[in-house]
Amino acid sequence: MGKTFVEKILGKKAGKEVVPGEIVMVEPDRLMSHDNSAAISKKFKSIGIKNVAYPDRIVIILDHCVPAASEKYATNHKVIREFVKEQGIRNFFDIHNGICHQVFIEKGFALPGNLILGSDSHTTSYGAVGAFSAGIGRTEMAALYATGELWLKVPQSYKIVVTGKFPAGVSAKDLILHIIGTIGSDGALYKSVEFTGETISDMSVSDRIILSNMSAEMGAKNGYFAPDDKTREFLKGKTDEGYEEIYPDEDAEYERILKFDVTNLSPRVAKPHTVDNVSHIEEVKGIKINQALLGTCTNGRLNDLEAAAKILKGKKIHPDTRMLVFPASQEIMLEAMKNGTLQILAEAGAVLMNPGCGPCLGAHEGTLAPGEVCITTANRNFKGRMGCKEAFVYLASPETVAASAIKGEIADPREVI
Amino acid sequence: MIKGKVWKYGDDINTDVIFPGKYTYTVTDSNEMAQYALEDLDPDFSKNVKQGDIIVAGKNFGCGSSREQAVIALKEAGISAIIAPSFARIYYRNAINEGVPLLENSEAPEHIEHGDEITIDLDKGEIINAQGKVFKFPPLPPSVQEIMNAGGLIPYVKKKRMTEVG
Ligand code: SF4
C-alpha cells in the first residue's frame, strides 16, 4: 500500500516506516518564532543549558507588535535582540521586515521536503511549497532550542480535490472559507491535508499560501501542496540550499477525500465569531462597516493588494469607513510602491501602514471600539480578536474587502468590477 | 484522583476567549494570567474558580492561536483537568507540556452539568459524574505519559539531560 505525504516525510525524518497514530521523534530542519521568542528564551534559560543546540536552524522574525507600542513591547523586543546576539542566531529579522510567515517563505527558509516547526498556529503556511510545517507551543520551542528534537504523532490524511475555474471577482480566499464553512472548524482536526486538482495546479504559490495558512482554521496539523514547476520557479533565487521534493504515492490511502468545484462559487464571508460561520455574500450584503482591513499573513501579498487596488482605482473609500493596508512584507511594500498599487490605495483614502501583523491579533494599532464592525482579509474572527470583545469581525477576500470599503457596508465585489 | 466542581462551556472555545490576544505581550506573569482567564466568555470564572475545579466543554476546545497562556491561565486559576469530546492539536500539546490532563470523551459532557462535583481517576482512565455514572477515556501514549509524569516538558528535558550528563 502506498504512503501519503505526511507518512513519507515523517518516516524519512524518523528513519523508519511509520503508520498513522505512531509517535516519532524528529529533528526539524528549521524552527520559526516571532515576538514570543522573548518568552521562549526565558523558558530555554530555565532548562540550565548555556547554548542553543543548532543556532542556524533558528529563524526569528519580529512582526506581532512592530514598532513597539509601549515600554513592555519594547522590552520584549530588546530581550530578543540580546538573545539573538548572545546565541549567534544569524537568521534574525528585525521589525522592518514583515509578517513572520511571509518573510520566512520569501527568504527561502521554506523548502519542499523540509520539516518545519513554528511557535505560531499558522506555521501550516509553508505547506504551500511542499514542506511539512506545523505549529507548536513556546515551551516546545524552548525544548527544541535545547535538544533539536521533538515528538510528533503521525496523523491520518485527508485529500481535498478542487476542480473548475474561478468566476470573476471570486478567489482562493472564497474557496478556503467555503471549505471551512462546509467541513467545520474542527473538520480536519489532527489531520494532514493534501490539496490537489486542476484548480490547485493553476493557482499561484501566493494563492496556495492562503489555503495552507487557513488549514489551521479547520484544525489541520499541516496543509500540503505537491511541488511543481510553479513552486520551483517561485523558489528560484530565494535559496542556494538543495532540497528533496516529496510526493504522496498514487495508491496512498486517505481517511477522507473531499471534492470541491469552484465553477459556480460566489464570494464568501465568515461572520462573527467563528471561522466556520460562513455565508454567501448575498446573506450579509448591506451590513454597515466601520473599518476595512487589507493585509495579514493570509492576504497581504502583492496580488492581494493589486486585486483590491483594481477595485479601488479612481474611487473613494466611504466617508464613514476607514481602511487600513498592511503589506505582508517589506519586499511586497516596495513592489507595490514601484508598480503604483500603494498610490492607488492611498488616493482612495486608505491608511498605509508598515508591514506587520497590525490589528490582526488585537495587541497593537488599528483596534476596534465596542459595537464596531470590521471586514478583514485575516484568518480569524474570534470574539475579542481585534482587541475588543464587543466588536464584530467578518472575514473575506481582498476583492470583497475593497468593494465594502467603497460602499461603507459589506458589498459584492462582482457588482463593482 | 481528581475531585472538583465543574465549569461547563460549549463547542469551539477558542484561545482568544480563554486568554485574549491583547494581553499576550503585556501580561507575562503566570499568576497574573489567571485573572484574565476566560475574560471574554465568562467574567464570573476568574472571580469564583477554586483550586481543583474542572472544565467540561464541547468539541474542539482550545482552537486558534498557539499561545500557551491559554493553558497556563487556566492552570494558574486552579483548573485540574479539562474534559471535552476533542481538543485542538496545539492546545493538546501545550497542555501535556504544562502537565495539565486533557481527557477526551464525547459522552461525558452530555451527562455533566455546570456546578456538578465530579471525580477523575487518571490511572484507571475514568470520569465519574455526579450520579456515579462512569465514562472511560483513552490513556496517553507511554512517551507522552513520561512527559506528564515529569511535570511537563521543561522538567522532562532537564531530567533527561541530568541522566545523560550522568
Ligand atoms: S498576521 Fe495575524 S494570523 Fe498572521 S501571524 Fe500575524 S497575528 Fe498571526
Side-chain angles (χ1 to χ4, degrees), chain A residues 44-101:
Chain A
F44 167 75
K45 288 190 172 157
S46 80
I47 299 172
I49 299 177
K50 207 157 165 266
N51 298 313
V52 299
Y54 306 99
D56 285 350
R57 291 184 193 167
I58 300 172
V59 181
I60 295 178
I61 302 156
L62 300 188
D63 64 349
H64 269 52
C65 188
V66 298
S70 66
E71 186 182 326
K72 274 229 167 177
Y73 288 100
T75 308
N76 190 63
H77 291 163
K78 185 172 174 225
V79 168
I80 297 168
R81 290 186 190 108
E82 285 167 0
F83 180 72
V84 159
K85 282 231 166 74
E86 145 204 323
Q87 295 291 333
I89 295 167
R90 292 181 305 158
N91 301 320
F92 170 63
F93 299 88
D94 215 319
I95 63 162
H96 58 289
N97 285 282
I99 305 174
C100 59
H101 304 305

Side-chain angles (χ1 to χ4, degrees), chain A residues 118-305:
Chain A
S119 56
D120 186 276
S121 53
H122 297 107
T123 300
T124 52
S125 302
Y126 320 138
V129 298
F132 170 91
S133 57
I136 55 168
R138 48 172 78 161
T139 299
E140 298 187 292
M141 192 52 87
L144 274 163
Y145 279 9
T147 65
E149 58 171 24
L150 191 68
W151 65 276
L152 287 178
K153 194 168 166 183
V154 183
Q156 299 274 3
S157 299
Y158 280 9
K159 181 146 96 174
I160 296 186
V161 187
V162 191
T163 49
K165 278 208 179 338
F166 283 106
V170 181
S171 60
K173 181 63 164 288
D174 300 302
L175 168 64
I176 191 69
L177 288 175
H178 174 54
I179 294 174
I180 296 169
T182 308
I183 70 171
S185 60
D186 61 345
L189 193 58
Y190 303 125
K191 311 296 178 194
S192 168
V193 176
E194 299 181 11
F195 291 91
T196 172
E198 62 183 45
T199 318
I200 302 296
S201 310
D202 285 348
M203 229 178 239
S204 65
V205 172
S206 172
D207 280 351
R208 291 174 190 175
I209 299 171
I210 300 169
L211 272 54
S212 54
N213 175 277
M214 287 196 70
S215 295
E217 303 311 318
M218 46 180 157
K221 184 169 201 148
N222 65 294
Y224 162 85
F225 293 73
D228 59 9
D229 284 344
K230 286 201 168 117
T231 321
R232 284 161 221 134
E233 189 57 37
F234 177 84
L235 291 171
K236 248 188 215 152
K238 288 190 170 61
T239 178
D240 42 23
E241 246 175 68
Y243 53 81
E244 188 195 336
E245 297 172 0
I246 297 179
Y247 303 96
D249 291 327
E250 299 232 330
D251 58 343
E253 204 160 294
Y254 294 89
E255 194 182 342
R256 269 181 90 184
I257 297 179
L258 299 142
K259 294 190 173 150
F260 292 90
D261 189 337
V262 299
T263 314
N264 296 312
L265 190 69
S266 64
R268 293 291 195 272
V269 176
K271 298 181 288 188
H273 297 287
T274 56
V275 184
D276 58 0
N277 191 12
V278 175
S279 284
H280 293 234
I281 187 82
E282 288 80 10
E283 299 162 52
V284 288
K285 246 171 79 171
I287 294 174
K288 291 259 171 293
I289 59 162
N290 305 95
Q291 181 163 297
L293 174 73
L294 177 62
T296 78
C297 55
T298 315
N299 282 109
R301 277 170 287 279
L302 188 63
N303 57 318
D304 300 312
L305 305 186

